[in-house]
Amino acid sequence: MDEVVRIGIAEYAVSQKPIILRTAGLGSCVGVIIYDQERGLSSMAHVMLPDSTISRNIALEIGKFADTAVVELARRLRQSGAIRLRAKIAGGAQMFQFKYEHESMRIGERNIAAVKLALRKANVPLVAEDVGGTNGRTIEFHSQTGRLVIRTVNVGTLEI
């Protein structure tokens, strides 16, 4: 049985061995998985917000923001020898409905867009996604198979 590493909100992990990366409580947050399956390298971040410009201490909050988390995961994987990086994402739900939705309240949509932009800038192709909706998710990435198992509240389980 592979080791399970739990990633909390605004955290990230990088691994060079067979592992299961898991994060729970993805509402408007986005789970970002970047991996090189052939080399056995994998990573996951639990991204809370789209843009690090609001951060007071970015060194302590790399996993919190789409722009910094994606760059850091790609950098660390490439540093470990990754050649063929790919990404999968899940989350970004609109958890609360507001009568007058101001753009700043649409965190899920903004997180999805920011993660996709950061992946393009880092030259990491997005190969699968399960994003949006109104329900929270728990995700589990199996590094040996490249499977991302997504459990969505009131919906069920999906594998991508």
Side-chain angles (χ1 to χ4, degrees):
M1 186 70 174
D2 290 338
E3 177 187 356
V4 176
V5 173
R6 289 173 175 74
I7 290 98
I9 295 171
E11 293 179 350
Y12 68 95
V14 178
S15 179
Q16 298 179 22
K17 61 182 181 180
I19 199 163
I20 297 171
L21 298 168
R22 178 184 296 155
T23 194
L26 288 172
S28 60
C29 296
V30 174
V32 180
I33 297 89
I34 301 178
Y35 64 105
D36 180 332
Q37 193 170 346
E38 290 77 17
R39 301 240 186 258
L41 303 168
S42 59
S43 64
M44 179 185 285
H46 186 130
V47 171
M48 272 181 72
L49 295 168
D51 184 5
S52 64
T53 57
I54 65 165
S55 178
R56 289 199 179 109
N57 188 349
I58 195 59
L60 296 177
E61 299 181 319
I62 290 170
K64 186 174 186 174
F65 303 101
D67 58 342
T68 53
V70 168
V71 167
E72 182 68 7
L73 295 181
R75 183 188 71 75
R76 296 212 19 213
L77 291 169
R78 286 181 175 126
Q79 200 172 51
S80 297
I83 294 169
R84 189 169 173 224
L85 291 180
R86 289 172 275 185
K88 295 183 179 185
I89 63 173
Q94 183 65 29
M95 298 301 292
F96 307 101
Q97 300 303 316
F98 297 98
K99 189 170 180 181
Y100 304 103
E101 287 192 25
H102 185 271
E103 180 63 25
S104 66
M105 299 306 290
R106 302 179 72 80
I107 301 294
E109 286 178 24
R110 291 174 51 222
N111 280 340
I112 294 164
V115 165
K116 287 181 175 182
L117 177 62
L119 288 168
R120 280 193 302 276
K121 285 182 174 179
N123 201 25
V124 178
L126 178 61
V127 296
E129 64 181 79
D130 179 45
V131 296
T134 56
N135 295 302
R137 294 168 174 88
T138 293
I139 63 173
E140 195 173 86
F141 182 72
H142 298 253
S143 69
Q144 282 194 294
T145 62
R147 286 183 315 128
L148 179 60
V149 179
I150 304 157
R151 290 179 188 82
T152 306
V153 176
N154 298 322
V155 175
T157 303
L158 168 70
E159 282 188 26
I160 59 174

